Amino acid sequence: MSAELMKGNVAIAEAAVRAGLEAYFGYPITPQTELLEHLSKRMVELERVFVQAESEVAAINMVYGAACAGARVMTSSSGPGISLMQEGLSYIAASEVPCVVVDMMRGGPGLGNIQPSQGDYFQVTRSAGHGDYHPIVLAPASVQEAIDLTFEAFDLADKYRHLVFVVGDGLIGQMMEPAVMPEMRPIRPRPDWAVSGKDGREKHIITSINLGAERNEAANLRIQDRIRVIRENEQRSLEWNIEDARILVVGFGTAGRVALSSVKMAREAGLPVGLFRPITLWPFPEKRLAEIVDGGIQAILVVEMNAGQMIDDVRLVVGHDVPVSHYGRLGGAVPLPDDVLHEIEKIAANIGLTATAMAG
Amino acid sequence: MQEEVIFAGFGGQGVLFAGQLLAYAAMHEGKHVTWIPSYGPEMRGGTANCTVVVSDDPIGSPIVQHPGVAVVFNNPSMLKYEGLVKPGGLLVVNSSLVTATTDRDDITVLNIPATDTANELGESRLTNMILSGAMLAVRPMVSIDTLIETITAKLPQRKRHLLEINVKAIKKGVELAQQQLTPA
């Protein structure tokens, strides 16, 4: 199939349709409304379910219900809406039903603004609701990645009966890039655990209520077992110019993409700099990061569109072995390539690295 | 090759479409391209701009501090971007509406009376096509032929009758740029 020029929000919506999305429930909020708008046409056209709910609280509870019934289901929102959904997200996690949630992050806290941000990192990677669990969190940095990761998010959700987030920001949502859509897949059969009407078989019970400590501890341990498996199997990342790097820039999504420009500029100036871009924010790609750092990294710069959130995960991996510093823009501001380059140059000076002429 | 272009003007001047057309054309030539609009709380008739990056290699940042090319449709855009164009870059000015001037001597400046020329062609909405043609005459990041093929493919059936005049506008832009850059 040939490439088409597509807007991130629309691309995510269409990728979900092609992954066999049966039902969508949501409420409009910038910067993800085009996603909902596209589905409002496509889902109806395909005689699937589209509901613009009366609020995000209603939307996530509809998602919960559809997930319990075994439908392939999704919602989408931005920070303020994700906050409203937290109770429902926690019930979904406790009930061990699969669903996909898209968070196109905007400047916060509060109502903030509609500009691009990565301020929801803690919110989505830690639990996105009360209690002990981590959703799987996928962070695309281009329209093609947004398509591929959304398409796959549904399979991951099914495989682990788990919540999967796809997180971007206004920039990923509004940007147009050439991208290729996957072929349409048929709607998958309902899973055998679904609540689908008893009709002679054993009763299926899906609940988030586990009265009594023993019973609830057992449910928690089952979730933790699965989380260990996810952590072992699903870490993903991309990297550039790692081989001889002494400074490592770490950034995800838009910030990682901007940092790629800065790393290229630094390389042209003869500085040994590489880039590490986590694709899974949870599970954080700790194994690969540790290997790279062991390969001779002397300093790390974490670039984010927040005040320093992923930097905690980086520090958990590298400890005190390597100095870790942060460059962040806040409240909807986006770091620019020259600014990140300037930070790289400061670090290079601090650790006594000098530019070497490019070979050849 | 990597070129970064900012198109800026009032909403309604076809600023976002000019950028999209360039992006489609670049895609048709097999290049990497990103198109990103400025978006935010804007009123109708307020400012609009978009950034297009065209490259032979995968693109890092889709936004830039210092574009190689700025195409300014009105005065506020001229004031905002004239100083940001990178040395050696190109500033394409819609001189029908822009009264501000630049004293920069480290960039190429094209003064194109695009809105007046569009009116002469009988359709003021051709301003964006004239400026696009002028820009590509100096910075051929995609060929004029590709741009024309792209608009031919993109124009919906109900607007088919406007194809000829759009092509004419693109060619007029090329001509105006060439006249200006050829010593008399």
Side-chain angles (χ1 to χ4, degrees):
Chain A
M1 275 186 79
S2 61
E4 276 181 74
L5 198 64
M6 269 179 288
K7 202 176 233 205
N9 280 331
V10 175
I12 289 175
E14 184 60 27
V17 167
R18 297 195 182 198
L21 181 69
E22 275 188 274
Y24 173 92
F25 308 94
Y27 188 80
I29 181 171
T30 307
Q32 64 79 50
T33 297
E34 294 91 347
L35 195 166
L36 177 130
E37 185 189 13
H38 182 79
L39 289 176
S40 71
K41 290 190 295 265
R42 284 289 277 154
M43 295 296 274
V44 173
E45 210 172 272
L46 295 164
E47 297 183 331
R48 301 181 188 178
V49 175
F50 173 91
V51 178
Q52 181 175 322
E54 69 267 37
S55 71
E56 288 88 347
V57 175
I60 195 66
N61 282 291
M62 291 176 190
V63 167
Y64 182 22
C68 290
R72 194 156 250 205
V73 59
M74 178 171 94
T75 187
S76 60
S77 192
S78 187
I82 301 293
S83 294
L84 281 168
M85 289 181 187
Q86 292 215 1
E87 182 197 42
L89 291 167
S90 181
Y91 283 34
I92 288 168
S95 302
E96 302 171 72
V97 289
C99 74
V100 174
V101 180
V102 178
D103 178 10
M104 294 311 240
M105 297 181 274
R106 56 187 252 172
L111 207 48
N113 58 29
I114 61 174
Q115 311 309 128
S117 164
Q118 298 179 329
D120 301 353
Y121 182 92
F122 282 154
Q123 185 182 29
V124 294
T125 59
R126 264 46 195 171
S127 72
H130 57 282
D132 260 326
Y133 67 96
H134 297 275
I136 296 172
V137 183
L138 308 172
S142 69
V143 173
Q144 187 66 58
E145 264 181 27
I147 291 169
D148 297 344
L149 292 175
T150 302
F151 198 72
E152 204 190 336
F154 290 95
D155 292 339
L156 284 170
D158 275 353
K159 181 175 175 188
Y160 296 107
R161 287 179 63 175
H162 204 61
L163 257 177
V164 180
F165 269 85
V166 177
V167 299
D169 57 57
L171 203 132
I172 303 279
Q174 300 292 328
M175 179 170 57
M176 289 178 95
E177 278 185 303
V180 180
M181 271 294 156
E183 295 291 337
M184 181 79 87
R185 278 203 305 210
I187 303 265
R188 64 138 165 69
R190 299 277 163 89
D192 56 14
W193 49 258
V195 177
S196 57
K198 187 166 158 292
D199 196 21
R201 63 156 164 73
E202 276 295 291
K203 182 156 77 167
H204 292 166
I205 297 174
I206 295 176
T207 180
S208 77
I209 303 172
N210 290 300
L211 295 178
E214 257 176 52
R215 188 171 155 198
N216 201 26
E217 188 176 46
N220 265 278
L221 288 172
R222 194 168 60 237
I223 293 171
Q224 291 306 315
D225 280 346
R226 191 167 58 231
I227 276 180
R228 260 189 296 281
V229 175
I230 296 172
R231 194 169 190 162
E232 187 55 34
N233 293 344
E234 302 298 344
Q235 297 183 19
R236 292 175 208 190
S237 58
L238 288 172
E239 57 204 53
W240 288 264
N241 297 342
I242 295 300
E243 308 73 38
D244 58 342
R246 293 294 167 264
I247 298 173
L248 185 68
V249 180
V250 183
F252 69 94
T254 294
R257 183 172 180 145
V258 170
L260 176 60
S261 291
S262 315
V263 166
K264 283 183 186 167
M265 286 152 81
R267 281 280 169 178
E268 277 165 27
L271 286 171
V273 184
L275 176 70
F276 182 71
R277 177 155 71 76
I279 300 288
T280 50
L281 304 186
W282 199 91
F284 189 73
E286 52 197 11
K287 287 188 274 190
R288 184 60 193 144
L289 179 60
E291 281 169 14
I292 292 171
V293 172
D294 282 347
I297 297 298
Q298 293 170 11
I300 294 177
L301 172 66
V302 180
V303 181
E304 296 179 81
M305 284 142 63
N306 59 42
Q309 299 190 21
M310 187 179 65
I311 190 172
D312 288 4
D313 286 328
V314 174
R315 284 205 172 110
L316 282 172
V317 174
V318 304
H320 295 287
D321 299 345
V322 173
V324 180
S325 54
H326 191 263
Y327 179 71
R329 295 296 306 273
L330 307 179
V334 179
L336 290 165
D338 291 356
D339 301 332
V340 178
L341 176 64
H342 185 63
E343 293 300 311
I344 294 171
E345 287 167 346
K346 276 202 295 198
I347 291 169
N350 281 344
I351 63 171
L353 271 184
T354 46
T356 50
M358 296 288 281
Chain B
M1 183 280 297
Q2 176 160 317
E3 295 270 16
E4 302 108 13
V5 186
I6 287 183
F7 293 90
F10 291 127
Q13 283 184 308
V15 171
L16 300 185
F17 181 73
Q20 281 185 8
L21 188 64
L22 173 62
Y24 278 112
M27 183 182 79
H28 289 147
E29 289 194 357
K31 296 188 164 81
H32 294 271
V33 62
T34 57
W35 173 93
I36 175 95
S38 65
Y39 73 99
E42 294 281 3
M43 58 184 172
R44 216 163 258 279
T47 57
N49 71 63
C50 64
T51 304
V52 180
V53 181
V54 179
S55 181
D56 292 328
D57 301 310
I59 295 163
S61 178
I63 45 172
V64 285
Q65 269 128 323
H66 298 290
V69 181
V71 183
V72 295
F73 287 57
N74 64 6
N75 256 329
S77 308
M78 176 73 169
L79 297 174
K80 187 168 176 189
Y81 292 109
E82 167 270 325
L84 292 179
V85 176
K86 89 180 148 195
L90 170 67
L91 179 65
V92 183
V93 181
N94 177 17
S95 59
S96 303
L97 297 184
V98 175
T99 52
T101 54
T102 177
D103 54 8
R104 288 190 61 177
D105 54 12
D106 60 342
I107 57 174
T108 305
V109 180
L110 275 180
N111 286 299
I112 306 291
T115 304
D116 292 336
T117 309
N119 284 329
E120 282 162 24
L121 290 172
E123 175 54 81
S124 68
R125 286 176 298 177
L126 294 170
T127 303
N128 57 353
M129 292 300 103
I130 294 167
L131 292 172
S132 295
M135 174 192 77
L136 290 178
V138 180
R139 291 289 177 110
M141 58 195 88
V142 301
S143 77
I144 294 290
D145 287 347
T146 307
L147 195 75
I148 290 171
E149 280 164 28
T150 306
I151 196 165
T152 307
K154 279 285 143 201
L155 217 56
Q157 201 58 41
R158 65 194 157 80
K159 290 190 173 171
R160 218 71 198 151
H161 60 285
L162 295 172
L163 177 61
E164 196 184 330
I165 200 163
N166 271 278
V167 172
K168 209 165 166 183
I170 291 168
K171 288 181 174 164
K172 190 72 192 168
V174 174
E175 191 186 312
L176 289 169
Q178 282 166 347
Q179 278 169 12
Q180 202 168 120
L181 293 176
T182 315

PDB file of all heavy atoms in Angstrom, chain B residues 99-110:
ATOM      1  N   THR B  99       3.571  46.113   4.163  1.00  0.00           N
ATOM      2  CA  THR B  99       4.197  47.428   3.984  1.00  0.00           C
ATOM      3  C   THR B  99       5.525  47.514   4.727  1.00  0.00           C
ATOM      4  O   THR B  99       6.369  48.335   4.398  1.00  0.00           O
ATOM      5  CB  THR B  99       3.259  48.548   4.483  1.00  0.00           C
ATOM      6  OG1 THR B  99       2.852  48.217   5.819  1.00  0.00           O
ATOM      7  CG2 THR B  99       2.022  48.666   3.595  1.00  0.00           C
ATOM      8  N   ALA B 100       5.692  46.649   5.732  1.00  0.00           N
ATOM      9  CA  ALA B 100       6.964  46.642   6.479  1.00  0.00           C
ATOM     10  C   ALA B 100       8.080  46.190   5.547  1.00  0.00           C
ATOM     11  O   ALA B 100       7.844  45.444   4.598  1.00  0.00           O
ATOM     12  CB  ALA B 100       6.851  45.704   7.667  1.00  0.00           C
ATOM     13  N   THR B 101       9.290  46.661   5.814  1.00  0.00           N
ATOM     14  CA  THR B 101      10.425  46.267   4.967  1.00  0.00           C
ATOM     15  C   THR B 101      11.494  45.619   5.832  1.00  0.00           C
ATOM     16  O   THR B 101      11.455  45.699   7.053  1.00  0.00           O
ATOM     17  CB  THR B 101      11.035  47.480   4.254  1.00  0.00           C
ATOM     18  OG1 THR B 101      11.369  48.458   5.238  1.00  0.00           O
ATOM     19  CG2 THR B 101      10.073  48.071   3.234  1.00  0.00           C
ATOM     20  N   THR B 102      12.449  44.972   5.180  1.00  0.00           N
ATOM     21  CA  THR B 102      13.549  44.359   5.916  1.00  0.00           C
ATOM     22  C   THR B 102      14.850  45.001   5.475  1.00  0.00           C
ATOM     23  O   THR B 102      14.994  45.388   4.318  1.00  0.00           O
ATOM     24  CB  THR B 102      13.597  42.833   5.686  1.00  0.00           C
ATOM     25  OG1 THR B 102      14.733  42.304   6.371  1.00  0.00           O
ATOM     26  CG2 THR B 102      13.703  42.469   4.209  1.00  0.00           C
ATOM     27  N   ASP B 103      15.783  45.128   6.419  1.00  0.00           N
ATOM     28  CA  ASP B 103      17.095  45.647   6.010  1.00  0.00           C
ATOM     29  C   ASP B 103      18.148  44.537   6.036  1.00  0.00           C
ATOM     30  O   ASP B 103      19.337  44.790   6.006  1.00  0.00           O
ATOM     31  CB  ASP B 103      17.517  46.833   6.883  1.00  0.00           C
ATOM     32  CG  ASP B 103      17.480  46.502   8.360  1.00  0.00           C
ATOM     33  OD1 ASP B 103      17.272  45.306   8.697  1.00  0.00           O
ATOM     34  OD2 ASP B 103      17.647  47.423   9.189  1.00  0.00           O
ATOM     35  N   ARG B 104      17.678  43.289   6.076  1.00  0.00           N
ATOM     36  CA  ARG B 104      18.634  42.180   6.117  1.00  0.00           C
ATOM     37  C   ARG B 104      19.301  42.020   4.753  1.00  0.00           C
ATOM     38  O   ARG B 104      18.631  42.006   3.727  1.00  0.00           O
ATOM     39  CB  ARG B 104      17.929  40.882   6.511  1.00  0.00           C
ATOM     40  CG  ARG B 104      17.535  40.881   7.974  1.00  0.00           C
ATOM     41  CD  ARG B 104      17.064  39.528   8.401  1.00  0.00           C
ATOM     42  NE  ARG B 104      18.102  38.500   8.241  1.00  0.00           N
ATOM     43  CZ  ARG B 104      17.931  37.236   8.604  1.00  0.00           C
ATOM     44  NH1 ARG B 104      16.783  36.850   9.125  1.00  0.00           N
ATOM     45  NH2 ARG B 104      18.904  36.360   8.442  1.00  0.00           N
ATOM     46  N   ASP B 105      20.643  41.892   4.778  1.00  0.00           N
ATOM     47  CA  ASP B 105      21.334  41.684   3.505  1.00  0.00           C
ATOM     48  C   ASP B 105      21.957  40.284   3.443  1.00  0.00           C
ATOM     49  O   ASP B 105      22.704  39.957   2.535  1.00  0.00           O
ATOM     50  CB  ASP B 105      22.398  42.768   3.280  1.00  0.00           C
ATOM     51  CG  ASP B 105      23.371  42.855   4.449  1.00  0.00           C
ATOM     52  OD1 ASP B 105      23.354  41.939   5.316  1.00  0.00           O
ATOM     53  OD2 ASP B 105      24.141  43.828   4.506  1.00  0.00           O
ATOM     54  N   ASP B 106      21.625  39.443   4.441  1.00  0.00           N
ATOM     55  CA  ASP B 106      22.187  38.084   4.448  1.00  0.00           C
ATOM     56  C   ASP B 106      21.175  37.035   3.994  1.00  0.00           C
ATOM     57  O   ASP B 106      21.392  35.842   4.143  1.00  0.00           O
ATOM     58  CB  ASP B 106      22.703  37.731   5.857  1.00  0.00           C
ATOM     59  CG  ASP B 106      21.609  37.782   6.917  1.00  0.00           C
ATOM     60  OD1 ASP B 106      20.549  38.419   6.652  1.00  0.00           O
ATOM     61  OD2 ASP B 106      21.784  37.194   7.988  1.00  0.00           O
ATOM     62  N   ILE B 107      20.038  37.498   3.480  1.00  0.00           N
ATOM     63  CA  ILE B 107      19.038  36.559   2.956  1.00  0.00           C
ATOM     64  C   ILE B 107      18.552  37.069   1.590  1.00  0.00           C
ATOM     65  O   ILE B 107      18.743  38.237   1.256  1.00  0.00           O
ATOM     66  CB  ILE B 107      17.815  36.412   3.903  1.00  0.00           C
ATOM     67  CG1 ILE B 107      17.155  37.767   4.166  1.00  0.00           C
ATOM     68  CG2 ILE B 107      18.207  35.730   5.201  1.00  0.00           C
ATOM     69  CD1 ILE B 107      15.862  37.681   4.969  1.00  0.00           C
ATOM     70  N   THR B 108      17.933  36.172   0.827  1.00  0.00           N
ATOM     71  CA  THR B 108      17.304  36.588  -0.432  1.00  0.00           C
ATOM     72  C   THR B 108      15.881  37.031  -0.127  1.00  0.00           C
ATOM     73  O   THR B 108      15.158  36.335   0.588  1.00  0.00           O
ATOM     74  CB  THR B 108      17.255  35.401  -1.422  1.00  0.00           C
ATOM     75  OG1 THR B 108      18.580  34.901  -1.573  1.00  0.00           O
ATOM     76  CG2 THR B 108      16.710  35.823  -2.770  1.00  0.00           C
ATOM     77  N   VAL B 109      15.502  38.207  -0.633  1.00  0.00           N
ATOM     78  CA  VAL B 109      14.139  38.690  -0.411  1.00  0.00           C
ATOM     79  C   VAL B 109      13.427  38.794  -1.759  1.00  0.00           C
ATOM     80  O   VAL B 109      13.960  39.373  -2.701  1.00  0.00           O
ATOM     81  CB  VAL B 109      14.140  40.075   0.277  1.00  0.00           C
ATOM     82  CG1 VAL B 109      12.703  40.551   0.499  1.00  0.00           C
ATOM     83  CG2 VAL B 109      14.901  40.019   1.598  1.00  0.00           C
ATOM     84  N   LEU B 110      12.265  38.151  -1.823  1.00  0.00           N
ATOM     85  CA  LEU B 110      11.430  38.250  -3.026  1.00  0.00           C
ATOM     86  C   LEU B 110      10.194  39.056  -2.675  1.00  0.00           C
ATOM     87  O   LEU B 110       9.442  38.674  -1.777  1.00  0.00           O
ATOM     88  CB  LEU B 110      10.964  36.869  -3.463  1.00  0.00           C
ATOM     89  CG  LEU B 110      11.839  35.979  -4.337  1.00  0.00           C
ATOM     90  CD1 LEU B 110      11.085  34.679  -4.595  1.00  0.00           C
ATOM     91  CD2 LEU B 110      12.203  36.661  -5.638  1.00  0.00           C
TER      92      LEU B 110
END
